[in-house]
Short mmCIF file of all heavy atoms in Angstrom, two decimals:
data_model
loop_
_atom_site.label_atom_id
_atom_site.label_comp_id
_atom_site.label_asym_id
_atom_site.label_seq_id
_atom_site.Cartn_x
_atom_site.Cartn_y
_atom_site.Cartn_z
N VAL V 270 2.66 12.26 -9.63
CA VAL V 270 1.97 13.56 -9.57
C VAL V 270 2.96 14.67 -9.26
O VAL V 270 2.93 15.75 -9.87
CB VAL V 270 0.85 13.52 -8.51
CG1 VAL V 270 0.18 14.90 -8.40
CG2 VAL V 270 -0.19 12.46 -8.85
N VAL V 273 4.88 16.02 -12.08
CA VAL V 273 4.16 16.93 -12.97
C VAL V 273 4.08 18.32 -12.37
O VAL V 273 4.46 19.31 -12.98
CB VAL V 273 2.73 16.40 -13.27
CG1 VAL V 273 1.94 17.43 -14.08
CG2 VAL V 273 2.80 15.08 -14.02
N ALA V 286 3.79 32.62 -15.58
CA ALA V 286 2.93 33.55 -14.84
C ALA V 286 3.71 34.78 -14.42
O ALA V 286 3.22 35.92 -14.53
CB ALA V 286 2.33 32.85 -13.61
N ILE V 289 4.38 36.92 -17.57
CA ILE V 289 3.16 37.55 -18.05
C ILE V 289 2.73 38.70 -17.15
O ILE V 289 2.40 39.81 -17.63
CB ILE V 289 2.02 36.51 -18.15
CG1 ILE V 289 2.31 35.52 -19.28
CG2 ILE V 289 0.67 37.20 -18.38
CD1 ILE V 289 1.38 34.32 -19.30
N GLY V 347 12.20 26.48 4.58
CA GLY V 347 12.67 26.69 3.22
C GLY V 347 13.83 27.66 3.14
O GLY V 347 14.68 27.56 2.25
N ALA V 355 18.90 23.14 -2.18
CA ALA V 355 19.09 23.65 -3.54
C ALA V 355 20.56 23.63 -3.94
O ALA V 355 20.90 23.24 -5.06
CB ALA V 355 18.54 25.08 -3.64
N ARG V 389 -12.58 40.02 -2.52
CA ARG V 389 -12.96 39.59 -1.17
C ARG V 389 -14.35 40.11 -0.83
O ARG V 389 -14.85 41.06 -1.42
CB ARG V 389 -11.94 40.11 -0.15
CG ARG V 389 -11.99 41.62 0.06
CD ARG V 389 -10.94 42.09 1.05
NE ARG V 389 -10.99 43.54 1.21
CZ ARG V 389 -10.23 44.22 2.07
NH1 ARG V 389 -9.34 43.58 2.83
NH2 ARG V 389 -10.34 45.53 2.17
N ASN V 439 2.41 22.13 8.69
CA ASN V 439 2.32 21.65 10.07
C ASN V 439 3.36 20.56 10.35
O ASN V 439 4.40 20.80 10.93
CB ASN V 439 0.90 21.15 10.34
CG ASN V 439 0.65 20.76 11.79
OD1 ASN V 439 1.54 20.30 12.49
ND2 ASN V 439 -0.58 20.92 12.25
N THR V 461 9.02 18.25 23.16
CA THR V 461 8.87 19.36 22.21
C THR V 461 7.45 19.40 21.67
O THR V 461 6.84 20.47 21.58
CB THR V 461 9.86 19.21 21.03
OG1 THR V 461 11.19 19.22 21.53
CG2 THR V 461 9.68 20.33 20.02
N ILE V 517 28.20 31.46 -8.04
CA ILE V 517 26.75 31.46 -8.28
C ILE V 517 26.46 31.71 -9.76
O ILE V 517 25.69 30.97 -10.39
CB ILE V 517 26.06 32.52 -7.40
CG1 ILE V 517 26.10 32.09 -5.92
CG2 ILE V 517 24.61 32.73 -7.85
CD1 ILE V 517 25.58 33.13 -4.96
N GLY V 530 28.02 15.51 -14.24
CA GLY V 530 27.06 14.84 -15.11
C GLY V 530 27.22 15.22 -16.57
O GLY V 530 28.16 15.88 -16.97
N THR V 541 16.07 23.89 -12.21
CA THR V 541 14.98 23.18 -11.55
C THR V 541 15.01 23.38 -10.04
O THR V 541 13.98 23.72 -9.42
CB THR V 541 15.04 21.68 -11.86
OG1 THR V 541 14.93 21.49 -13.28
CG2 THR V 541 13.92 20.92 -11.17
N THR V 599 31.94 29.60 3.76
CA THR V 599 32.57 29.03 4.96
C THR V 599 33.29 27.71 4.71
O THR V 599 33.61 26.98 5.65
CB THR V 599 31.52 28.84 6.07
OG1 THR V 599 30.37 28.17 5.53
CG2 THR V 599 31.09 30.18 6.63
N ILE V 715 -3.43 34.07 -14.34
CA ILE V 715 -3.14 34.36 -15.75
C ILE V 715 -4.40 34.79 -16.49
O ILE V 715 -4.39 35.74 -17.29
CB ILE V 715 -2.48 33.15 -16.43
CG1 ILE V 715 -1.09 32.89 -15.83
CG2 ILE V 715 -2.38 33.37 -17.94
CD1 ILE V 715 -0.43 31.61 -16.31
#
Side-chain angles (χ1 to χ4, degrees):
V270 177
V273 174
I289 291 170
R389 70 182 179 176
N439 186 328
T461 299
I517 290 174
T541 300
T599 49
I715 294 173

